[in-house]
């Protein structure tokens, strides 16, 4: 059978339109679509079911599973399958014990779908009171033992073991198995000991795993892009982002019952969907 040129052109046009319609109807997820990196600091829940590589992957498509980030600096990097301008992070915070996590964001500037572009910090209400360019190094004891640390402020200490969690506290699944270092901002320490009953009140805004009126009402901490700064504290204008990083923001520890302050999250959603 012979076809005219005009009928071929019409067929091609219809095929192209169908492909476009199909692409336009692809359903995007409001949840985390991919976890790119999980690099926690040592902690009492590390190397458990809420502190290993499998736990990190459970953040995808859900807000029901807990992931711990360990002591100061430990982080997780995740992304959405589309650009977002307002999002929320779920956690397990309670009114008297916040464990605030610093939130960073990145736009997919080069369009390769990877979090390898510039990172910016959402400046919460404690940004001006935080220690900038804080750096800490943890030393693996290669056993169930206190994990020693030193920072660039001349201080040192330990992530202390307790009798409730008897596995090794240094993450066994990261590449750095002798020492691991983290750099970022250190939020002010607010953990208070009231005769053995520890309280860590929430900051006003700008952090994950942080008790606020927003969290009390919605069960999450919400974020937009109105308070974004670069590494020098300069305000940055972003219309949307695709990648998010959360890291534990306080270097504090209580008694054996409380242990170290460690940010936990349970997932994230795009609030515009």
């Amino acid at each position: 059978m012979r076809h005219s040129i005009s009928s071929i052109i019409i067929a091609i046009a219809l095929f192209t339109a169908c492909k476009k319609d199909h692409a336009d109807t692809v359903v995007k997820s409001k949840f985390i679509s991919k976890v790119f990196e999980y690099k926690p600091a040592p902690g009492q829940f590390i190397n458990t079911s809420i502190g290993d590589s499998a736990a990190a992957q459970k953040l995808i498509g859900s807000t029901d599973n807990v992931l711990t980030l360990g002591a100061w600096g430990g982080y997780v990097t995740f992304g959405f399958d589309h650009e977002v301008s307002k999002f929320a992070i779920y956690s397990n915070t309670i009114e008297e014990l916040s464990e605030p996590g610093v939130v960073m964001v990145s736009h997919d500037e080069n369009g390769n779908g990877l979090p390898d572009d510039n990172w910016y910090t959402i400046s919460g209400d404690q940004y001006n009171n935080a220690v900038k360019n804080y750096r800490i190094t943890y030393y693996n004891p290669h056993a169930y033992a206190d994990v020693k640390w030193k920072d660039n402020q001349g201080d040192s200490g330990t992530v202390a073991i307790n009798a409730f969690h008897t596995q090794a506290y240094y993450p066994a699944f990261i590449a750095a198995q002798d020492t691991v270092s983290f750099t970022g901002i250190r939020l002010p320490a607010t953990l208070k000991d009231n005769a053995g009953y520890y309280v860590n009140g929430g900051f006003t805004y700008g952090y994950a795993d942080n008790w606020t009126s927003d969290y009390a009402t919605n069960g999450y901490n919400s974020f937009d892009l109105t308070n974004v700064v670069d590494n020098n504290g300069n305000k940055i204008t972003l219309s949307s982002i695709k990648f998010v990083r959360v890291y534990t923001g306080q270097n504090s520890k209580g008694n054996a019952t409380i242990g170290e302050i460690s940010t936990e999250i349970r997932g994230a959603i795009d609030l515009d969907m």
Side-chain angles (χ1 to χ4, degrees), residues 137-184:
T137 299
Y138 298 96
Y139 300 85
N140 190 354
H142 298 283
Y144 164 61
D146 292 351
V147 180
K148 296 180 179 179
W149 59 262
K150 292 182 180 179
D151 65 20
N152 61 354
Q153 307 297 303
D155 295 322
S156 60
T158 64
V159 177
I161 58 173
N162 59 59
F164 302 102
H165 306 282
T166 57
Q167 81 289 348
Y169 286 17
Y170 189 99
F173 48 88
I174 64 174
Q177 280 301 299
D178 289 322
T179 66
V180 63
S181 298
F182 300 94
T183 302

Side-chain angles (χ1 to χ4, degrees), residues 114-135:
L114 298 174
D116 55 2
D117 298 294
N118 293 319
W119 282 94
Y120 306 103
T121 299
I122 292 181
S123 57
D125 67 297
Q126 294 299 309
Y127 182 80
N128 291 332
N129 300 322
V131 177
K132 313 300 192 299
N133 298 313
Y134 183 68
R135 182 176 175 84

Side-chain angles (χ1 to χ4, degrees), residues 1 7 11-12 15 24 44 74 84 93 105 128 163 169 184 220 227 242 244 250:
M1 180 182 294
S7 64
I12 292 173
F15 177 73
D24 290 342
Q44 62 183 318
V84 304
T93 195
V105 294
N128 291 332
Y169 286 17
Y220 56 62
N227 295 300
K242 195 169 184 179
V244 180
Q250 290 182 317

Side-chain angles (χ1 to χ4, degrees), residues 8-84:
I8 294 174
I9 292 174
I10 291 171
I12 292 173
L14 289 172
F15 177 73
T16 303
C18 288
K19 286 184 65 178
K20 182 179 184 300
D21 288 342
H22 176 74
D24 290 342
T25 58
V26 172
V27 178
K28 295 181 174 65
S29 172
K30 69 178 180 179
F31 299 104
I32 292 171
S33 66
K34 187 169 184 177
V35 174
F36 292 92
E37 185 180 17
Y38 174 49
K39 190 175 182 179
Q44 62 183 318
F45 294 104
I46 300 302
N47 302 319
T48 73
S49 62
I50 66 168
D52 61 15
S53 298
Q57 295 303 313
K58 291 179 181 178
L59 294 181
I60 297 172
S62 174
T63 59
D64 296 329
N65 302 291
V66 176
L67 180 71
T68 184
L69 304 183
W72 186 89
Y75 67 85
V76 62
T77 303
F78 57 82
F80 295 93
D81 61 10
H82 60 283
E83 294 283 329
V84 304

